[in-house]
């Protein structure tokens, strides 16, 4: 499709199919996090049935994160080679089969194996989603699009405490894993039917294609398969993104896998009663994700640089997380929910901006590989914090040392990111090609 040059105005005739793609990505991320959070919701039930300790629970989460780390590297490269449509379909198929498999196991070891395969498959979700955004959105809209699809990371956990306990209480925890896996597989059919690259999509008219291509990185000619991710590690920009993920991704894992347990131990909640507090936390997180993406995108549309817009938003988020250090000492349940909800919202707003950095910093043919490296770094950070959480809870029975880490991680991360990329300048394509 030949597109006219974009003249800076948005035509009323312009199609808006890019937002349909964004909705598909949002739904997939929501499904991803339903499957991911079920272990946290069912922690007490599974512990009673399978007789695991706090350390064994941490080890199961550890192996999920380990294979998630391996999968991020794998899928980052695969998606850059075969494209988003096929790459995401493969990842979704793997994690859906693994999710159903959880309902068929009978031991801690079998559960850890199913969880590991789930982690490997789910690792393809963010490289696919972020690559799709880089293909479908101009730079000034990317943080907004990322914020919208990333809201699925909170929408899934909103649905999970409402749906999973009801299924479990009616038919058992095995039925919860099997039934949700089967029903959500419908997304795969929709994805294969609806996703194409913008230039190949019959629903995209010339005006929208020109708008999508209006960024200075809109057209890339380099052969993606020849860019080594080992070479990408030689760029400080890669490390800025990877270390940001390493330091802050583990905090979201904390909310997913331990928040139900914290609410149970601190306030006596159980499978029947922790639904409303968890829903409240993740509704706030959803607002944070959408607002965080909108905030930097609005600044850029008003004329601020990507550097100023992204980092100012992330700095505010880093400060808004810090009250979580006091969550352990709050007697009132809903006051604690407010503090944790603010931290979760701030994390999501932070992530909506952090996840745009690869497309801000690198040409399109390297984006998924850089995302893969960052995702692996985030998963390694999660593995370390998971181990830390297990031993702290087993030995000291307190969440306070864990919340101290959660409160400080973002401030450290923004300092690291700014030190490595003070201007957030894009790596020239010829630099990458020369480094091959």
């Amino acid at each position: 499709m030949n597109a006219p040059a974009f003249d800076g105005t948005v035509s009323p005739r312009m199609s808006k199919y890019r937002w349909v793609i964004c909705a598909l990505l949002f739904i997939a991320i929501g499904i991803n996090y339903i499957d991911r959070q079920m272990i946290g919701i069912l922690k007490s039930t599974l512990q009673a049935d399978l007789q695991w300790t706090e350390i064994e629970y941490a080890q199961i989460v550890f192996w999920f994160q380990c294979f998630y780390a391996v999968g991020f590297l794998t899928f980052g490269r695969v998606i850059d080679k075969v494209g988003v449509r096929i790459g995401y379909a493969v990842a979704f198929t793997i994690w859906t089969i693994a999710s159903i498999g959880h309902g068929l196991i009978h031991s801690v070891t079998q559960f850890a194996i199913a969880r590991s395969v789930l982690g490997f498959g789910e690792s393809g979700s963010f490289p696919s989603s972020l690559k799709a955004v880089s293909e479908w959105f101009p730079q000034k809209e990317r943080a907004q699009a990322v914020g919208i699809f990333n809201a699925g990371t909170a929408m899934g956990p909103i649905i999970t405490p409402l749906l999973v306990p009801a299924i479990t209480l009616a038919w058992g925890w095995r039925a919860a894993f099997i039934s949700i896996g089967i029903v959500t597989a419908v997304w795969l059919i929709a994805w294969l039917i609806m996703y194409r690259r913008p230039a190949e999509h019959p629903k995209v008219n010339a005006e929208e294609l020109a708008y999508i291509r209006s960024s200075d990185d809109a057209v890339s000619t380099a052969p993606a398969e020849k860019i080594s991710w080992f070479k990408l590690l030689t760029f400080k920009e890669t490390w800025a993104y990877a270390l940001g993920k390493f330091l802050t991704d583990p905090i979201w894992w904390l909310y997913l896998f331990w928040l139900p347990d914290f609410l149970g131990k601190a306030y006596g909640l159980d499978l029947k009663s922790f639904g409303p507090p968890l829903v409240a936390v993740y509704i706030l997180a959803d607002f944070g994700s959408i607002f965080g993406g909108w905030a930097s995108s609005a600044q850029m549309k008003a004329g601020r640089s990507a550097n100023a817009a992204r980092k100012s938003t992330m700095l505010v988020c880093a400060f808004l997380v810090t009250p979580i250090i006091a969550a352990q000492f709050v007697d009132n349940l809903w006051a604690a929910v407010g503090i944790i909800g603010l931290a979760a919202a701030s994390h999501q707003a932070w992530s909506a901006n952090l996840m745009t950095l690869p497309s801000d910093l690198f040409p399109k043919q390297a984006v998924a590989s850089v995302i893969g490296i960052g995702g692996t770094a985030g998963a390694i950070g999660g593995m370390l914090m998971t181990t830390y959480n297990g031993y702290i809870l087993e030995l000291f029975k307190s969440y306070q040392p864990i919340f101290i880490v959660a409160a400080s991680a973002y401030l450290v991360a923004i300092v690291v990111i700014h030190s490595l990329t003070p201007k957030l300048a894009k790596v020239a394509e010829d630099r990458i090609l020369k480094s091959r």
Side-chain angles (χ1 to χ4, degrees), residues 134-135 142 209-220 364:
S134 74
E135 290 182 351
R142 284 180 196 156
L209 185 59
Y211 182 66
I212 291 168
R213 290 177 170 177
S214 63
S215 299
D216 59 358
D217 64 343
V219 180
S220 179
K364 284 186 179 181

Side-chain angles (χ1 to χ4, degrees), residues 24-65:
L24 275 176
L25 299 175
F26 167 81
I27 293 169
I29 294 292
I31 294 169
N32 185 302
Y33 273 77
I34 290 173
D35 294 338
R36 190 177 304 195
Q37 200 207 12
M38 286 176 69
I39 188 175
I41 296 293
L42 297 173
K43 180 174 182 284
S44 298
T45 302
L46 292 167
Q47 278 185 313
D49 194 358
L50 300 175
Q51 299 296 306
W52 61 40
T53 65
E54 290 287 353
I55 292 176
E56 286 175 323
Y57 175 75
Q59 288 171 342
I60 289 171
V61 176
F62 176 94
W63 285 111
F64 170 89
Q65 293 168 323

Side-chain angles (χ1 to χ4, degrees), residues 2 38 51 57 60 63 67 76 83 97 117 127 189 208 211 252 259 303 329 346 378 382 399 419 428:
N2 294 321
M38 286 176 69
Q51 299 296 306
Y57 175 75
I60 289 171
W63 285 111
F67 278 80
I97 292 171
V117 178
I189 300 171
E208 183 175 20
Y211 182 66
W252 190 246
L259 182 54
F329 305 111
S346 300
Y399 274 88
S419 298

Side-chain angles (χ1 to χ4, degrees), residues 380-432:
I380 291 171
M383 290 159 62
L384 294 175
M385 188 160 184
T386 289
T387 303
Y388 172 75
N389 294 346
Y391 279 98
I392 288 293
L393 294 174
E394 188 74 23
L395 297 175
F396 301 107
K397 316 296 183 185
S398 172
Y399 274 88
Q400 185 56 28
I402 298 170
F403 287 148
I404 290 173
V405 175
S408 57
Y410 301 84
L411 291 171
V412 175
I414 191 64
V415 171
V416 170
I417 291 168
H418 182 67
S419 298
L420 291 172
T421 58
K423 296 181 179 180
L424 209 67
K426 185 178 288 290
V427 178
E429 189 172 297
D430 60 351
R431 284 183 60 201
I432 294 179

Side-chain angles (χ1 to χ4, degrees), residues 67-327:
F67 278 80
Y68 190 78
V70 173
F72 245 112
L73 285 179
T74 303
F75 277 109
R77 298 298 292 158
V78 167
I79 291 160
D80 272 339
K81 289 182 179 181
V82 306
V84 176
R85 181 172 178 265
I86 299 303
Y88 209 163
V90 170
F92 189 92
T93 300
I94 292 172
W95 100 55
T96 300
I97 292 171
S99 181
I100 294 170
H102 283 64
L104 307 176
I105 62 91
H106 296 278
S107 70
V108 174
T109 300
Q110 291 172 353
F111 199 94
I113 292 171
R115 206 72 191 162
S116 298
V117 178
L118 180 74
F120 183 80
E122 288 197 342
S123 67
S125 186
F126 278 100
S128 299
S129 298
L130 293 167
K131 179 82 168 182
V133 166
S134 74
E135 290 182 351
W136 275 88
F137 290 86
Q139 186 184 34
K140 62 187 175 183
E141 280 189 347
R142 284 180 196 156
Q144 184 177 359
V146 170
I148 290 171
F149 88 65
N150 190 53
T153 64
M155 183 56 66
I158 288 171
I159 295 171
T160 309
L162 300 177
L163 181 63
V164 171
I167 297 173
T168 301
L169 291 171
W171 298 292
W173 62 265
R174 297 180 188 278
F177 283 107
I178 294 170
S179 60
I180 290 174
I182 292 172
V183 170
T184 56
V186 173
W187 179 90
L188 179 61
I189 300 171
W191 174 256
L192 290 172
I193 292 172
M194 298 173 69
Y195 192 89
R196 299 290 187 279
R197 291 174 180 167
E200 302 166 355
H201 209 294
K203 299 288 187 179
V204 176
N205 63 16
E207 288 82 4
E208 183 175 20
L209 185 59
Y211 182 66
I212 291 168
R213 290 177 170 177
S214 63
S215 299
D216 59 358
D217 64 343
V219 180
S220 179
T221 59
E225 66 273 9
K226 294 185 179 180
I227 299 177
S228 165
W229 61 263
F230 287 106
K231 293 297 183 181
L232 289 172
L233 290 173
T234 66
F235 292 95
K236 63 181 182 180
E237 292 84 358
T238 302
W239 286 100
Y241 178 66
L243 290 174
K245 296 285 282 182
F246 174 84
L247 290 164
T248 60
D249 274 15
I251 313 307
W252 190 246
W253 298 109
L254 167 65
Y255 303 144
L256 287 178
F257 298 139
W258 274 276
L259 182 54
D261 183 69
F262 169 72
L263 294 175
K265 290 176 177 175
Y267 303 102
L269 304 186
D270 58 19
L271 196 62
K272 296 179 181 179
S273 58
F274 58 46
L278 287 177
V279 168
V281 167
Y282 290 114
I283 286 175
L284 291 172
D286 257 342
F287 279 115
S289 182
I290 295 170
F291 178 79
W294 171 86
S296 64
S297 291
Q299 290 179 65
M300 290 179 67
K301 289 179 180 178
R304 297 195 78 190
S305 68
N307 185 49
R310 306 282 194 241
K311 290 178 182 174
S312 62
T313 304
M314 293 169 75
L315 181 62
V316 170
C317 295
F319 279 109
L320 289 176
V321 171
T322 56
I324 199 172
I325 200 168

